[in-house]
Amino acid sequence: MAKFIYKMENILGIKYKLEDQAKTSYGIARKKLMKEEERLFELITRLEEYQDKGKELRMQKLDIMKLKEYTEASEIVKEEIELQELAVKKAEQQVELARERLNAAMLERKTHEKLKENAREVFFLEVASGERKEIDELVSFRYNNPTN
C-alpha cells in the first residue's frame, strides 16, 4: 500500500514554529502589561498614602514644611501616574497586536492542517479507487477467460 506524503509538510512545520513564536511574544507582552499595571497600582497606592498623610498633617499642629513636602510628593506621583497610564496603554496595545498576530498564525496553521487533511482524504480515495479498479480487472479477467 502506498504511503501518504503531504507535499507542503515543511510549510506546515514552519506554521507551527510561527505559531509558537507568536505564543511566546504574546506571553511576553502579557507579562509586561501585568508588570506595568502593577507599577501603576503601586503609584496609586503611594499617592493615596501621601494624600492621607497630608490630611493627617492638616488635622494636627500645622507644619507647613511637611505639608508642602507631601503636597509636592503627591503632585510628582500624579505626574508619574499619568506617565504610567500611558505605559499601560502602550503595553495593552502591544498585547492586542501580539494577540492579533497569534490569531493570524493559528488561522494559517489550521488552514494548512485542513489542507493536509483534505489531501489525505483525496489520497485515500484514490488508493481505494485504484484497488477497486484492480479488483474489477481481476474479476473481469477471470470471468472473461475461463481456463479452468
Side-chain angles (χ1 to χ4, degrees), residues 10-59:
N10 56 350
I11 294 174
L12 183 59
I14 291 170
K15 296 299 179 186
Y16 278 119
K17 289 178 184 177
L18 288 174
E19 183 181 0
D20 288 341
Q21 288 175 349
K23 285 179 182 178
T24 302
S25 66
Y26 177 74
I28 290 170
R30 286 285 306 153
K31 191 173 183 178
K32 183 176 181 181
L33 174 62
M34 291 188 325
K35 182 180 175 184
E36 296 292 347
E37 287 175 338
E38 184 178 308
R39 174 148 165 67
L40 177 62
F41 179 74
E42 289 171 0
L43 287 171
I44 291 171
T45 304
R46 190 177 348 155
L47 175 64
E48 290 172 353
E49 288 172 3
Y50 286 146
Q51 289 173 342
D52 290 343
K53 189 67 174 174
K55 286 179 186 177
E56 287 177 21
L57 286 174
R58 287 186 191 100
M59 300 290 183

Side-chain angles (χ1 to χ4, degrees), residues 16-146:
Y16 278 119
K17 289 178 184 177
L18 288 174
E19 183 181 0
D20 288 341
Q21 288 175 349
K23 285 179 182 178
T24 302
S25 66
Y26 177 74
I28 290 170
R30 286 285 306 153
K31 191 173 183 178
K32 183 176 181 181
L33 174 62
M34 291 188 325
K35 182 180 175 184
E36 296 292 347
E37 287 175 338
E38 184 178 308
R39 174 148 165 67
L40 177 62
F41 179 74
E42 289 171 0
L43 287 171
I44 291 171
T45 304
R46 190 177 348 155
L47 175 64
E48 290 172 353
E49 288 172 3
Y50 286 146
Q51 289 173 342
D52 290 343
K53 189 67 174 174
K55 286 179 186 177
E56 287 177 21
L57 286 174
R58 287 186 191 100
M59 300 290 183
Q60 299 172 0
K61 180 179 172 190
L62 199 56
D63 186 359
I64 301 296
M65 293 303 287
K66 286 252 187 212
L67 188 59
K68 185 177 180 182
E69 180 182 323
Y70 282 105
T71 303
E72 288 175 358
S74 293
E75 293 302 318
I76 291 171
V77 172
K78 284 180 185 177
E79 291 174 11
E80 289 179 8
I81 286 173
E82 289 176 11
L83 293 175
Q84 190 60 32
E85 286 174 343
L86 292 174
V88 167
K89 286 181 184 177
K90 183 178 178 183
E92 286 173 346
Q93 290 172 348
Q94 293 297 323
V95 167
E96 185 63 25
L97 182 63
R99 186 189 61 76
E100 289 173 2
R101 287 181 184 157
L102 176 59
N103 285 343
M106 289 174 65
L107 182 63
E108 288 179 15
R109 183 216 8 116
K110 288 179 182 180
T111 300
H112 277 277
E113 283 179 344
K114 187 67 175 173
L115 289 173
K116 180 179 179 179
E117 187 61 34
N118 290 344
R120 182 184 316 224
E121 288 176 13
V122 167
F123 171 77
F124 285 128
L125 288 174
E126 289 174 356
V127 167
S129 173
E131 289 174 354
R132 280 193 306 271
K133 185 177 179 183
E134 287 179 21
I135 291 171
D136 288 346
E137 288 175 359
L138 184 62
V139 168
S140 71
F141 178 74
R142 284 187 180 169
Y143 285 110
N144 290 335
N145 295 328

Side-chain angles (χ1 to χ4, degrees), residues 3-14:
K3 182 178 177 184
F4 172 71
I5 298 173
Y6 183 55
K7 294 178 183 177
M8 297 190 300
E9 188 70 39
N10 56 350
I11 294 174
L12 183 59
I14 291 170

